[in-house]
Amino acid sequence: MTYKKYLKESNYVSGQWIAADSGKTIDVTNPATGEKIGTVPACGEAETVRAIEAATAAFPAFAAMPLLERVGLLWKLHDAILDNQKSLAELLTVEQGKPLAEAMGEMAIGAAYVRWFAEEVRRAKGEIVPAPGNNRRILVTHHPVGVVGMITPWNFPSSMLARKVGPALAAGCTVVAKPATATPYSGLAWAALCEEVGFPAGVVNIVTGSARAIGGAIMDSPAVRKLTFTGSTEVGKELIRQSADTVKKVSMELGGNAPFLVFDDADVDAAVQGAMVAKFRNAGQTCVCANRFYVQAGVYDTFVEKLIEATAKMKVGDGLADGVEQGPMIDQESVAKVEELVADAVSKGGTVALGGNRHALGQTFYEPTVVTGATQDMRVAKEEIFGPMAPVFRFDSIEDGIAMANDTEFGLCAYAYTREIGQIMRLNEGLEYGMIGINSGLITTVEAPFGGVKESGLGKEGGSQGLDDYLDTKYTAVDY
Ligand code: ADP
């Protein structure tokens, strides 16, 4: 095991590795074993203010760094991630629980985001717009927004930073980031990597500790011009409110409640294959995880039978063990929520067709679960499950399917399996979601704009739009 190489038990502020002023620390444990991995500093407002000051001081020189030099640092960062992919992936699995193969994938996509934004920034072109009269030029140019605050969750503790740190650094912004307390090491590893490849002191600062204290200092600071947050809708709303006082730009990747529609004409085997990825990746703990399976009446029985068969084969265990497909959940609270949702579904007429219990492995392991006969009055129709439970609903017409799919305040990602082109276009029109996967259960890619509508968020990550969110547009009129 080589994960200790990037296990940093201190914070990174102004190019220094620091402890909390109070000397206090927080324990970090492995969810698969319950064992303590190490500690991180319990920092708060004072350390965060210093991090913001460092980022503010570093900004002018970093923004003015010749573009190719900055891009060169990003190339090195990309290479450093891939050169250390195994160590970083092991660290991620040890603190977060996901199977090592998934952790390796998270590192690969993280590196890919860095490369994508390093490429994209070289084409962040401005415009010269025709003026209404003679003797004037209208220039439209792009400039880094300034210091960016970042707050990230525990489910993708590395790649969520990749798609924030990548475009921020490409644009010439400086960073103050707070990783989730459950999984701080994958966040702190970004500081170690940035230091290693030579980003100047103060460009990237990472602090761990109280969410309220660190978040509060970031939100209160007029120097922080943008906040990018990935996490729950509840906390996102609170941060949007807090952003008002200093009128920060905000990017919000919030909760999802993804519908997964299977139509009568679908290739059911492909739909089941897609369902397994869309549902059980990261033990169901992704914001784009299929939350509700809507299956058209004609293929309902076949789909359910095949889904159960595939789900029953899943290998559950410690993410570091060979061949494991589902690791533990992040904590006891998350397991308790899945238990409640299963009990609620059963009390309203649902049937547990597979699983439905804590796993014999103990800790926070939960059995891969399929519940059939789900209905819109169940909590699973409205709430994000964030666990390995697949509720299956039945629908008749495409209109019913779309209406049920849209019956939620969320609008992040939707999936549908059908081969009929007219139906695909109606889904494109009718589904109120920021992302739609047709005949695919895995659509996240660096080239595409990831992000939701309705209460799932604001802004995009990835694609060319993912860079725009870190740039201000400036208009200059030049009369001559
Ligand atoms: P999740 O369900 O992913 O844990 P949360 O929204 O609770 O979602 O947490 C996402 C991130 O937001 C974490 O880093 C967490 O520490 C942070 N966070 C939680 N509450 C607050 C808050 N009041 N202010 C700032 N950050 C917060």
Side-chain angles (χ1 to χ4, degrees):
M1 294 282 258
T2 56
Y3 72 86
K4 294 221 159 102
K5 178 173 178 193
Y6 284 105
L7 192 150
K8 295 283 179 190
E9 298 194 277
S10 39
N11 284 180
Y12 191 65
V13 173
S14 195
Q16 305 290 320
W17 288 95
I18 63 156
D21 291 352
S22 65
K24 288 193 180 143
T25 58
I26 305 169
D27 289 351
V28 184
T29 53
N30 178 337
T33 61
E35 282 162 18
K36 178 171 158 183
I37 308 164
T39 65
V40 289
C43 284
E45 187 182 343
E47 298 89 338
T48 309
V49 166
R50 292 206 295 277
I52 295 169
E53 284 166 1
T56 307
F59 175 64
F62 188 59
M65 183 184 273
L67 182 60
L68 260 195
E69 208 175 303
R70 213 163 65 224
V71 165
L73 288 174
L74 288 165
W75 289 339
K76 285 191 191 163
L77 183 58
H78 163 270
D79 292 348
I81 297 167
L82 292 186
D83 288 348
N84 296 285
Q85 188 177 6
K86 186 88 189 294
S87 306
L88 293 163
E90 281 175 1
L91 182 65
L92 172 52
T93 292
V94 166
E95 69 175 349
Q96 200 275 340
K98 68 181 61 183
L100 189 59
E102 287 186 29
M104 290 290 282
E106 185 168 339
M107 291 310 146
I109 198 170
Y113 274 114
V114 171
R115 185 172 69 183
W116 168 259
F117 287 112
E119 291 163 348
E120 202 59 11
V121 72
R122 297 188 68 191
R123 292 175 246 299
K125 299 176 189 128
E127 285 180 295
I128 299 175
V129 180
N134 291 339
N135 302 329
R136 169 168 284 196
R137 290 277 186 263
I138 293 175
L139 309 183
V140 180
T141 51
H142 302 300
H143 306 265
V145 297
V147 177
V148 180
M150 305 183 175
I151 301 179
T152 51
W154 49 262
N155 60 344
F156 289 93
S158 188
S159 64
M160 291 301 108
L161 273 173
R163 55 200 210 184
K164 300 181 190 304
V165 171
L169 296 181
C173 298
T174 54
V175 173
V176 176
K178 189 204 90 65
T181 306
T183 56
Y185 294 127
S186 297
L188 289 165
W190 278 90
L193 290 160
C194 287
E195 179 185 44
E196 191 178 309
V197 303
F199 279 92
V203 168
V204 172
N205 304 275
I206 305 197
V207 282
T208 55
S210 158
R212 285 207 165 268
I214 296 170
I218 289 174
M219 299 317 290
D220 285 349
S221 168
V224 177
R225 293 314 320 144
K226 176 186 170 81
L227 174 79
T228 169
F229 171 74
T230 300
S232 62
T233 295
E234 190 190 346
V235 174
K237 286 181 181 178
E238 177 67 27
L239 293 169
I240 294 171
R241 277 185 212 106
Q242 291 175 15
S243 73
D245 284 342
T246 52
V247 193
K248 289 187 204 321
K249 271 178 181 269
V250 288
S251 290
M252 294 277 149
E253 295 293 349
L254 309 177
N257 178 7
F260 187 110
L261 296 109
V262 184
F263 286 86
D264 283 347
D265 74 308
D267 174 340
V268 175
D269 290 320
V272 168
Q273 216 178 4
M276 297 306 290
V277 182
K279 176 71 251 181
F280 294 105
R281 195 161 61 103
N282 202 12
Q285 304 169 114
T286 89
C287 49
V288 292
C289 269
N291 209 62
R292 300 168 287 152
F293 288 92
Y294 292 113
V295 186
Q296 207 164 12
V299 287
Y300 182 91
D301 291 338
T302 319
F303 178 82
V304 164
E305 187 188 315
K306 292 186 178 211
L307 180 68
I308 293 171
E309 196 182 306
T311 307
K313 287 192 192 133
M314 295 245 326
K315 185 169 172 196
V316 180
D318 186 326
L320 290 177
D322 269 354
V324 163
E325 295 162 293
Q326 183 188 301
M329 296 185 65
I330 192 71
D331 56 23
Q332 292 297 343
E333 210 182 326
S334 305
V335 182
K337 172 148 189 218
V338 176
E339 284 182 320
E340 271 178 35
L341 293 177
V342 170
D344 172 78
V346 170
S347 77
K348 291 172 182 158
T351 305
V352 175
L354 184 76
N357 295 300
R358 284 174 184 257
H359 196 277
L361 286 169
Q363 298 296 338
T364 53
F365 289 96
Y366 194 85
E367 291 174 346
T369 295
V370 178
V371 173
T372 56
T375 50
Q376 291 298 99
D377 61 335
M378 293 176 182
R379 282 177 58 189
V380 286
K382 305 277 180 228
E383 293 177 39
E384 202 170 17
I385 300 168
F386 238 62
M389 169 203 183
V392 193
F393 304 67
R394 189 191 295 262
F395 75 93
D396 292 312
S397 66
I398 180 170
E399 289 76 17
D400 292 347
I402 291 177
M404 288 161 103
N406 287 341
D407 182 19
T408 167
E409 72 268 24
F410 296 108
L412 189 58
C413 187
Y415 305 90
Y417 275 73
T418 173
R419 287 172 288 192
E420 208 269 294
I421 188 71
Q423 195 148 262
I424 292 171
M425 292 306 162
R426 286 162 77 192
L427 291 168
N428 168 264
E429 287 286 331
L431 288 172
E432 296 164 357
Y433 286 84
M435 297 178 280
I436 303 176
I438 302 289
N439 298 321
S440 173
L442 183 62
I443 62 168
T444 305
T445 183
V446 302
E447 296 82 0
F450 185 106
V453 297
K454 294 164 77 177
E455 293 191 15
S456 286
L458 297 166
K460 301 290 177 189
E461 296 193 323
S464 55
Q465 296 85 348
L467 180 66
D468 295 345
D469 279 5
Y470 293 82
L471 293 168
D472 282 327
T473 297
K474 189 181 286 182
Y475 150 54
T476 308
V478 182
D479 285 1
Y480 59 95

